[in-house]
Amino acid sequence: MQNKTFQALTKAAEHLMERSTDPIHDTGHASRVVTYLKHMQGECGLTKSERQAIIIAGWWHDVSRIITKNPSLVWMPLVDDLLSGGMLLWHLLKSGIYEWDAYLAIRLIWGKSLGTGAFLKKILLSKRNQFLAHLLKDADTLDTFAIERAAKMLELVDGYLRYEIGYKIVCRWFSLLHHIKMKTAAARKYIIQLLREFIAWIKQPHIIAWHVDHFGHRWTRKSLSRMEHATVRLNSSSLSSFNG
């Protein structure tokens, strides 16, 4: 793919994501996913075409969030990848873009979709490209523990019950690391760094005080203790507790 076309596609997605009404699936989220992909792809020996395809997919995987003004935590995760891939397909056809890399990006997005992804990977992607879909999904999962995303959720806790529940689920999920299925070795290495940064962020006095004020001392102390123990176990076992 020509660099001009590649840059145009990433810029188009960036502009679309600026219209997202989902505060945790916005331009910042897409940008961080792309950053994770750039870090991890260096360990995976990807070709230029593969690198371009996965970066395009990283930028476009959540553009469907602009469709509704009230993103639902219930149904949107079930269809967002399918819709986002469809929106990229429409953009390519409308723009007269027919490069292989761009159409691979669509299949990577569809291949990581919740529920239907396992089936779509088998019929749309070769074994090599299935690995790329796994890398994309891992990068998306990594952002669950990004400090920027957590800080934004804290801002929303007071006004939206669903974000309070969502944030508590993330903290609980943190302590159950053996249930997080990272498919690629690159992501399994990267997550330790993110988890350590997450704990350091929570331990800041004003952040701890916020948690105590909103969730109580017992919940805060217990959750932090679980996170620290989970990270120690993960590091000491050299990631052996992960599946994949």
Side-chain angles (χ1 to χ4, degrees), residues 81 89 128 241:
D81 289 317
L89 175 60
R128 172 63 178 180
S241 62

Side-chain angles (χ1 to χ4, degrees), residues 68-85:
T68 173
K69 293 183 179 181
N70 186 27
S72 169
L73 293 181
V74 177
W75 66 266
M76 197 62 182
L78 299 174
V79 298
D80 59 349
D81 289 317
L82 299 176
L83 292 174
S84 295

Side-chain angles (χ1 to χ4, degrees), residues 116-133:
T116 57
F119 171 73
L120 292 176
K121 279 200 298 285
K122 291 181 179 179
I123 65 173
L124 296 177
L125 298 170
S126 65
K127 187 172 182 180
R128 172 63 178 180
N129 290 337
Q130 287 179 26
F131 170 76
L132 299 181

